[in-house]
Amino acid sequence: MSRPLSGLHVVECASFVAGPTGGMTLAQLGASVIRIDPLGGGPDHGRWPAAGHGTGDSYYWASLNKGKRSISIDLRSDEGRELVLGLATAPGPDRGVLVDNVVGRRWMANDALVARRPDLVHVRVQGYPDGRPAVDYTVNAEVGIPQITGSEEGAAPVNHVLPAWDLVTGMSVATAVLAGVYQRSRTGAGVYSEIALSDVALAGVANLGWLSEADERGHERPRHGNHVYGSFGVDFACSDGNRVMVVALTPAQWNALVSVTGTGDVFAALEPALDADLTSETERYRLRETIAAVLRPWFAARDSATVESELNRARVLWGRYQGMTHVVAEHRAGGHPLLADLALPGGATGITARSPIRWDADHGDPGAAPELGRETDEVLADVLGLDERTIGGLHDRGVVG
Amino acid sequence: MSRPLSGLHVVECASFVAGPTGGMTLAQLGASVIRIDPLGGGPDHGRWPAAGHGTGDSYYWASLNKGKRSISIDLRSDEGRELVLGLATAPGPDRGVLVDNVVGRRWMANDALVARRPDLVHVRVQGYPDGRPAVDYTVNAEVGIPQITGSEEGAAPVNHVLPAWDLVTGMSVATAVLAGVYQRSRTGAGVYSEIALSDVALAGVANLGWLSEADERGHERPRHGNHVYGSFGVDFACSDGNRVMVVALTPAQWNALVSVTGTGDVFAALEPALDADLTSETERYRLRETIAAVLRPWFAARDSATVESELNRARVLWGRYQGMTHVVAEHRAGGHPLLADLALPGGATGITARSPIRWDADHGDPGAAPELGRETDEVLADVLGLDERTIGGLHDRGVVG
């Protein structure tokens, strides 16, 4: 099946989440992606989550780098560096695309690369714009998210578990690569783009209007517990202890919720008493605690199976709190079209995802798990045109793995 | 200054976060984006955070839709629908690109659009793949994130405040648009891509290896409080009550942390006692509580200014917990290159972001705040070639606003 990016060649020299996510996304859309690692693997090669039982397989590394060809090179040797530069700047209209998160390697600076291929499309991921390192958990603290998470005012910050900024940065990498390719196709000029994780986080909170609001308000937003900010949405416990997240952004969603819980008369009486118009999202937000208190007994009186079928019947916007083992069990039982088994080189079998972007209703192939250096020889021959004897010499001198 | 996507034309008919984020990203990269709204605005038009003082300005809507041209159309009238279809499928090699999050409008189905322009690049955002609605807070619950957030085992889930999946989906929209444009430029064929928020979330946790691990482990990951999973990273309180997030992913970062805190001898003695090798990330993760307990007094004995300057001097990877008002104050004092004031049509001034993707070290122009229907006449004339009299007639009949 033809993928949109068939024909595009990308070289990736990046570790951890953001850069590899960008390359993986492009690979799933059909690009041919070569991942360059140092001999023995980069700092993320064995990262958790990793398979137990001594297989040496990292579920993390395998899943983020699936569908790429792997070449390992001694990045400290002049010969190795020459190979990296050659791969990144190989000729051809659909080559010359590089993703990296390199810091401080003078020989891989953009100007050194552009000297070899002026129309290079080069995307560099950074921590801070000046090159200092940052990670999701540090930039999230700096834009104020953990401080408004949780419910206890004045308590310690509550870190987010999901490295969201890493994932947003990863998709920004894919976007920046394709924007650069678009520009080059129209103008012939290369593009050097840089994306700092700290800027992605700052832009995220600014674009949601949160900085504007902090500026106007002059103090921090109070902690809201599990309530959705600016609307009505909160979690409810059912009689069996299972919980559901219920949201009413639109009038239709609100009406559905009121209707299924049989609370129409209660809210009709409350509106004049509280001088409120609950058809307004802002008003539902203001009165969120009251609304939740009125609705809570309905959920507490029903088991989750009943709650779920009634919410569905009434077309309420809701979601079930469920653990990842539950997600896995559902997939094992029914086969989620997005998910796929991933056979790791050490023998473990993981679960990974196909592309969440569907073409013609299809998620495509997830891509095979990588193995460090598995395609070293193939890449050297394909892209650099090296013959068997030359490649053998590189192995003998320990330049490639 | 030339932007990479100069020349590309995109039509957006979407509300809330994901679709508008995709369009805004493309606009910041230089694309010309037309946003179509229903008369009076879509369901997100006045969403919080909104400016106080009765200006009617939504910081949220203005920031997510800046840099776009706004046209408002009566989507219930045949004449209005014909205008929407005309805009989405207008001729020209760099037109015919549509982003929407439409549900159930038969007249805007992909096949209806493709009948008018076979090479349409069409990206549709969904809640679930079958079109049912979902929002960030419901899909986050369904992939198990709030249940492993916070520190109290067995307690209620802790919702994330940041709508991370919305933002990831928004950048996926930008990627999908550009992948479609790439394919069309090579093959002449259009692309219909769909992206469900629920799939983006499921792919996110799968790609991080979290489902693989849940599958192997057979039970949920325990809650970790503010500790980074699989590595060493946690928050510390300084003597003045300010907190810092400190992370040591690599051996160099770990050595820096040990060195600045003067704890080298302690850990050298602990390693044999605990049968641990703290140069290993996995071992630092396993012994995270012990490591944190050893380090905590160093932070507690110093105020945050001292802590910060010493961590910087030693090149420790760290970040400050700071509120959004602090971020705003720093911007107001020094002018962050990413941030910009945004003058809203009702008179309020917000703070918004330029592109976090930099070209030639530049974040570009943030884009002006939108005003509902401000460019209605201009768009009808430019794209559809309508004359003044025809446009006047559309206004008279209430088809456009």
Side-chain angles (χ1 to χ4, degrees):
Chain A
M1 183 175 187
S2 162
R3 302 266 95 198
L5 299 182
S6 291
L8 183 66
H9 291 260
V10 178
V11 172
E12 176 194 307
C13 197
S15 49
F16 298 111
V17 179
T21 294
M24 182 199 67
T25 298
L26 297 169
Q28 292 194 316
L29 304 192
S32 167
V33 179
I34 295 168
R35 178 178 161 99
I36 300 175
D37 268 302
L39 297 180
D44 56 344
H45 186 59
R47 279 206 97 200
W48 275 45
H53 320 301
T55 67
D57 284 325
S58 162
Y59 290 129
Y60 169 101
W61 191 81
S63 202
L64 290 173
N65 293 301
K66 63 186 182 281
K68 305 172 187 173
R69 292 197 286 176
S70 169
I71 175 169
S72 67
I73 301 179
D74 176 8
L75 302 180
R76 297 179 185 188
S77 72
D78 288 343
E79 260 191 307
R81 292 175 179 187
E82 179 60 28
L83 293 175
V84 173
L85 296 174
L87 291 171
T89 64
D94 290 307
R95 294 193 183 271
V97 179
L98 174 66
V99 171
D100 73 42
N101 68 343
V102 160
V103 178
R105 285 184 200 152
R106 183 63 211 134
W107 61 276
M108 271 191 80
N110 177 256
D111 53 6
L113 291 155
V114 165
R116 295 175 65 120
R117 179 160 178 162
D119 69 346
L120 183 72
V121 172
H122 183 187
V123 177
R124 176 158 290 178
V125 177
Q126 305 166 309
Y128 291 105
D130 63 7
R132 281 180 301 129
V135 292
D136 194 278
Y137 315 94
T138 60
V139 303
N140 207 40
E142 290 180 341
V143 297
I145 303 282
Q147 300 89 310
I148 57 172
T149 303
S151 53
E152 210 183 324
E153 215 56 59
V158 177
N159 281 0
H160 278 202
V161 171
L162 181 75
W165 303 119
D166 276 334
L167 298 180
V168 178
T169 303
M171 293 309 298
S172 302
V173 166
T175 297
V177 162
L178 296 177
V181 168
Y182 180 85
Q183 168 162 319
R184 184 168 70 182
S185 73
R186 288 175 60 96
T187 68
V191 186
Y192 178 41
S193 48
E194 299 159 285
I195 313 174
L197 188 69
S198 65
D199 280 342
V200 169
L202 195 54
V205 295
N207 288 332
L208 289 167
W210 293 2
L211 294 185
S212 301
E213 190 191 36
D215 191 29
E216 177 178 314
R217 198 201 298 103
H219 57 82
E220 296 305 313
R221 181 204 290 186
R223 293 188 182 198
H224 274 30
N226 284 347
H227 285 280
V228 173
Y229 183 67
S231 191
F232 180 76
V234 74
D235 60 319
F236 292 101
C238 306
S239 64
D240 53 12
N242 291 325
R243 297 180 93 90
V244 289
M245 178 72 197
V246 174
V247 180
L249 304 180
T250 66
Q253 289 160 357
W254 170 243
N255 291 337
L257 180 57
V258 169
S259 162
V260 73
T261 55
T263 51
D265 290 346
V266 181
F267 289 116
L270 270 170
E271 284 186 311
L274 300 173
D275 191 23
D277 169 13
L278 295 177
T279 63
S280 144
E281 193 176 14
T282 299
E283 292 281 80
R284 292 196 294 275
Y285 168 63
R286 182 169 70 86
L287 293 167
R288 60 192 179 277
E289 299 280 9
T290 307
I291 295 171
V294 169
L295 296 177
R296 201 168 287 125
W298 186 87
F299 291 89
R302 287 160 179 81
D303 64 20
S304 52
T306 307
V307 164
E308 295 178 7
S309 80
E310 298 227 7
L311 295 180
N312 280 338
R313 193 179 46 75
R315 296 175 173 268
V316 171
L317 174 51
W318 72 280
R320 178 193 298 130
Y321 286 88
Q322 58 189 11
M324 291 186 201
T325 52
H326 185 89
V327 174
V328 168
E330 282 200 333
H331 167 58
R332 291 276 179 239
H336 193 293
L338 179 71
L339 300 178
D341 284 344
L342 190 70
L344 277 68
T349 299
I351 297 175
T352 195
R354 298 180 168 90
S355 170
I357 304 173
R358 313 188 315 274
W359 278 269
D360 302 324
D362 189 71
H363 289 287
D365 185 52
E371 186 173 351
L372 192 67
R374 187 175 53 203
E375 290 86 11
T376 292
D377 294 7
E378 176 188 311
V379 165
L380 293 173
D382 279 6
V383 184
L384 299 181
L386 302 189
D387 60 27
E388 214 173 305
R389 216 179 109 250
T390 309
I391 294 172
L394 290 168
H395 279 287
D396 292 345
R397 292 189 298 283
V399 176
V400 298
Chain B
M1 179 172 193
S2 161
R3 303 265 95 197
L5 299 183
S6 291
L8 183 66
H9 292 259
V10 178
V11 172
E12 175 194 307
C13 196
S15 51
F16 298 110
V17 179
T21 293
M24 182 199 69
T25 298
L26 297 169
Q28 292 195 317
L29 304 192
S32 168
V33 179
I34 295 167
R35 178 179 160 98
I36 300 174
D37 268 302
L39 296 179
D44 56 345
H45 186 58
R47 278 207 98 201
W48 276 46
H53 319 303
T55 66
D57 284 325
S58 162
Y59 291 129
Y60 169 101
W61 191 80
S63 203
L64 290 174
N65 294 301
K66 63 187 182 281
K68 305 172 188 173
R69 292 197 288 176
S70 170
I71 176 170
S72 65
I73 301 179
D74 176 8
L75 303 181
R76 298 180 185 186
S77 72
D78 288 343
E79 262 191 306
R81 293 175 178 186
E82 179 59 29
L83 293 174
V84 172
L85 297 174
L87 291 170
T89 63
D94 290 306
R95 294 193 184 272
V97 178
L98 174 65
V99 171
D100 72 44
N101 67 343
V102 161
V103 178
R105 285 185 201 150
R106 183 63 211 135
W107 59 277
M108 272 190 79
N110 177 257
D111 53 7
L113 291 153
V114 165
R116 296 175 66 121
R117 180 161 177 161
D119 69 346
L120 183 72
V121 172
H122 183 188
V123 177
R124 175 157 289 178
V125 177
Q126 306 167 309
Y128 291 104
D130 62 7
R132 282 180 300 129
V135 293
D136 193 280
Y137 315 94
T138 59
V139 302
N140 207 41
E142 290 180 340
V143 297
I145 302 284
Q147 298 90 310
I148 56 171
T149 303
S151 52
E152 209 183 325
E153 215 55 58
V158 176
N159 281 1
H160 278 202
V161 171
L162 181 75
W165 303 119
D166 276 335
L167 298 180
V168 177
T169 303
M171 294 309 297
S172 303
V173 166
T175 297
V177 163
L178 296 175
V181 168
Y182 179 86
Q183 167 162 319
R184 183 169 70 183
S185 74
R186 288 175 60 96
T187 67
V191 186
Y192 178 40
S193 48
E194 299 159 286
I195 312 174
L197 188 68
S198 64
D199 280 341
V200 169
L202 194 53
V205 295
N207 288 332
L208 290 167
W210 293 1
L211 295 186
S212 301
E213 191 190 35
D215 190 30
E216 177 177 314
R217 198 200 300 100
H219 57 81
E220 296 305 312
R221 182 205 287 186
R223 293 188 181 197
H224 273 30
N226 284 347
H227 285 280
V228 173
Y229 183 68
S231 189
F232 180 75
V234 75
D235 60 320
F236 291 101
C238 307
S239 65
D240 53 12
N242 290 325
R243 297 180 94 90
V244 289
M245 178 73 198
V246 174
V247 180
L249 304 181
T250 65
Q253 289 161 356
W254 169 244
N255 290 336
L257 180 57
V258 169
S259 162
V260 72
T261 54
T263 51
D265 291 344
V266 181
F267 289 116
L270 271 171
E271 284 185 311
L274 299 174
D275 190 22
D277 168 14
L278 295 177
T279 63
S280 144
E281 194 176 12
T282 299
E283 291 281 82
R284 293 196 293 277
Y285 168 63
R286 182 168 69 87
L287 293 167
R288 62 193 179 275
E289 300 279 9
T290 306
I291 295 172
V294 170
L295 296 176
R296 201 168 286 124
W298 186 87
F299 292 89
R302 285 157 180 83
D303 64 20
S304 53
T306 306
V307 163
E308 294 179 5
S309 79
E310 297 226 8
L311 296 181
N312 279 338
R313 192 178 47 72
R315 297 175 174 269
V316 171
L317 174 51
W318 71 280
R320 178 192 297 130
Y321 285 87
Q322 57 188 12
M324 291 186 200
T325 53
H326 186 89
V327 175
V328 168
E330 281 200 333
H331 167 60
R332 291 276 179 238
H336 194 292
L338 178 71
L339 301 178
D341 283 345
L342 190 70
L344 277 67
T349 299
I351 297 175
T352 196
R354 297 181 169 89
S355 170
I357 304 172
R358 307 180 330 266
W359 279 268
D360 303 324
D362 188 70
H363 290 288
D365 184 53
E371 187 174 350
L372 193 67
R374 186 174 55 203
E375 290 86 10
T376 292
D377 294 7
E378 179 188 311
V379 165
L380 293 174
D382 280 6
V383 183
L384 299 182
L386 303 188
D387 61 26
E388 215 173 305
R389 217 179 106 251
T390 309
I391 294 172
L394 290 169
H395 279 288
D396 292 345
R397 292 190 296 281
V399 177
V400 299

